[in-house]
Amino acid sequence: MIPYQKLLLENKAWAQEKIEDDPEFFSRLSQIQTPEFLWIGCSDSRVPANEITNTQPGEIFVHRNIANLVVHTDVNLLSVLEYAVNYLKVKHVIVCGHYGCGGVKAAMTNHDFKQVLNMWLRNIKDVYRLHRQELDGITEEEKRFDRLVELNVIEQVHHLAKTSIIQRAWKRDAYPHIHGWVYSLNDGLIKPVFELNADSNIDELYKYDDL
Ligand code: CO
């Protein structure tokens, strides 16, 4: 069998199974989506949002990119954020990174990955530079890599809080809460590493005073 045909066959079996479990499953979901969570995760095929949180279609609104970055010029991410926060009214935004992230690892090298990837990875290099003292102090390379994965997630949570989308939502509704999580490929467990909410202090420099 051609590999992609397996996907289509599996899809038929899955749809059948869903209907057998719950005959209204698709008709209900096709009417409305009211997810409580926005997930910003890594594109890595080993970190599928629904599977690792044991959630169903309709429960998580998902955006994924290399190394789960929040880049303020990324129209794709900002559209997803705007829609999730202001139309779906999600209560939680989760940035989920993962140990062993290839994007983070690549950013720790001096290799030229060509312009487009270099541009993307530079955002992670900036996180390293911000925390250079702490990171350079970790002698074991694997531990330094793990810590950069955590710091990268924390930095992306801060980036979300710098957007007027989040600040306006905090002023209006006092949510969403923003969570920074790191998933471990080794044991399948998620470790919460950071959190910001409407009461959190953010750097004055980034605060809008006329929202
Ligand atoms: Co990754």
Side-chain angles (χ1 to χ4, degrees):
M1 193 191 301
I2 303 167
Y4 77 83
Q5 285 179 338
K6 184 176 179 300
L7 300 186
L8 296 171
L9 265 178
E10 288 292 343
N11 165 255
K12 279 204 183 87
W14 172 81
Q16 187 61 36
E17 211 173 282
K18 282 284 172 202
I19 285 189
E20 279 164 15
D21 281 358
D22 174 3
E24 306 299 315
F25 184 79
F26 292 108
S27 55
R28 200 174 53 244
L29 274 178
S30 62
Q31 298 303 317
I32 192 166
Q33 73 156 346
T34 52
E36 239 182 275
F37 308 97
L38 165 61
W39 178 278
I40 299 170
C42 184
S43 298
D44 194 306
S45 64
R46 299 164 297 179
V47 197
N50 284 122
E51 201 151 341
I52 66 174
T53 55
N54 201 19
T55 44
Q56 295 295 317
E59 291 190 68
I60 307 187
F61 200 62
V62 175
H63 178 85
R64 290 167 71 179
N65 62 41
I66 293 174
N68 40 270
L69 299 181
V70 175
V71 177
H72 285 149
T73 49
D74 180 353
V75 177
N76 185 351
L77 175 124
L78 292 174
S79 311
V80 169
L81 182 67
E82 169 84 32
Y83 185 69
V85 170
N86 289 323
Y87 292 84
L88 297 174
K89 308 261 183 203
V90 295
K91 299 285 188 295
H92 302 272
V93 179
I94 297 155
V95 178
C96 188
H98 65 104
Y99 297 116
C101 183
V104 173
K105 192 169 187 114
M108 289 175 83
T109 73
N110 292 94
H111 184 66
D112 170 16
F113 289 93
K114 306 294 181 292
Q115 185 58 26
V116 174
L117 284 172
N118 289 344
M119 275 166 61
W120 194 252
L121 297 176
R122 191 172 306 136
N123 294 292
I124 310 169
K125 285 181 181 279
D126 289 343
V127 178
Y128 195 109
R129 181 172 44 79
L130 274 172
H131 300 277
R132 178 168 250 152
Q133 212 176 354
E134 178 187 347
L135 288 164
D136 282 352
I138 305 171
T139 47
E140 212 180 308
E141 202 182 320
E142 201 59 27
K143 290 220 169 76
R144 191 161 69 238
F145 178 21
D146 286 353
R147 186 59 185 150
L148 181 56
V149 165
E150 292 173 358
L151 290 169
N152 181 51
V153 161
I154 294 167
E155 200 59 31
Q156 306 319 311
V157 170
H158 283 300
H159 283 171
L160 284 170
K162 288 172 193 168
T163 65
S164 55
I165 298 171
I166 290 291
Q167 289 185 28
R168 200 173 285 116
W170 278 355
K171 195 176 170 188
R172 185 185 60 215
D173 302 319
Y175 60 75
H177 296 300
I178 314 177
H179 308 261
W181 292 355
V182 179
Y183 173 78
S184 168
L185 297 170
N186 294 326
D187 59 14
L189 295 175
I190 293 169
K191 175 174 146 188
V193 292
F194 190 60
E195 207 175 307
L196 281 182
N197 57 49
D199 303 325
S200 303
N201 281 325
I202 62 168
D203 192 322
E204 288 292 332
L205 201 58
Y206 300 101
K207 235 186 233 173
Y208 297 101
D209 60 7
D210 56 350
L211 290 168

